[in-house]
Amino acid sequence: MGLADALKDDSKKAAIIDDAVKLVDAEVAGKSGLSGFAVKKGYDAVKSIKPGFIQEAVSRLLPDMAVKIEPFWDAGKKDGAPKAHLEKNRSQVADAMLSVTDQKVEGAKSNLVKSTYKMLRGSAKKHVEEAIPRVGGLLEKHGG
């Protein structure tokens, strides 16, 4: 059973979403430097303005992202090293994951959402690539 299938199981979905939110929290907490400061402040602002937003966003995005990244995971399983395969292909995995948010934003009605996303999109890939080891851990734990 892959992560996408596990997310369809109501008895597993809440735990997966919780672990994914913890993953995002850990990634943000691990950022450093000026850009890391900005990421942390923006993240904290979002969490304080709209409590529960991160969990809602993860819940909406993760099923589609799971579908996009499972081919990479499955290819790695064939080689016996799925986490290493994700890390080796982190650029393509990040592109696959970001294609989900790109598509969601394309359909957004708010021009503010679209313009803000467009402004942040350039640096997003680097951050997603840095998260790939933790993403592999999530897949390993919940998607076999």
Side-chain angles (χ1 to χ4, degrees):
M1 172 186 286
L3 185 62
D5 287 335
L7 284 163
K8 294 175 187 173
D9 183 337
D10 289 335
S11 68
K12 296 177 181 178
K13 185 175 182 174
I16 298 168
I17 298 298
D18 286 345
D19 283 347
V21 170
K22 289 175 188 171
L23 183 156
V24 175
D25 288 343
E27 282 298 317
V28 171
K31 298 297 176 197
S32 61
L34 189 57
S35 67
F37 177 79
V39 168
K40 288 177 185 180
K41 289 301 174 192
Y43 190 70
D44 288 344
V46 167
K47 287 172 64 175
S48 67
I49 292 169
K50 188 171 180 191
F53 176 78
I54 303 302
Q55 184 140 357
E56 290 173 26
V58 168
S59 184
R60 281 192 313 269
L61 296 171
L62 190 57
D64 291 336
M65 285 185 177
V67 168
K68 295 284 189 175
I69 62 178
E70 278 187 351
F72 296 99
W73 185 257
D74 291 342
K77 282 171 72 173
K78 288 179 185 173
D79 295 337
K83 283 178 73 175
H85 185 77
L86 281 185
E87 291 180 37
K88 179 178 154 192
N89 294 285
R90 69 179 56 218
S91 178
Q92 296 92 332
V93 174
D95 285 337
M97 292 174 73
L98 287 167
S99 74
V100 173
T101 55
D102 292 346
Q103 184 179 14
K104 298 282 186 193
V105 168
E106 190 175 295
K109 294 175 183 157
S110 168
N111 285 332
L112 178 62
V113 168
K114 288 180 181 182
S115 64
T116 302
Y117 181 80
K118 185 177 179 180
M119 182 177 67
L120 299 172
R121 178 58 171 87
S123 63
K125 184 172 179 180
K126 174 183 150 255
H127 295 299
V128 174
E129 287 178 352
E130 291 171 353
I132 296 302
R134 285 191 172 110
V135 170
L138 184 74
L139 282 162
E140 187 172 61
K141 179 176 180 181
H142 295 289

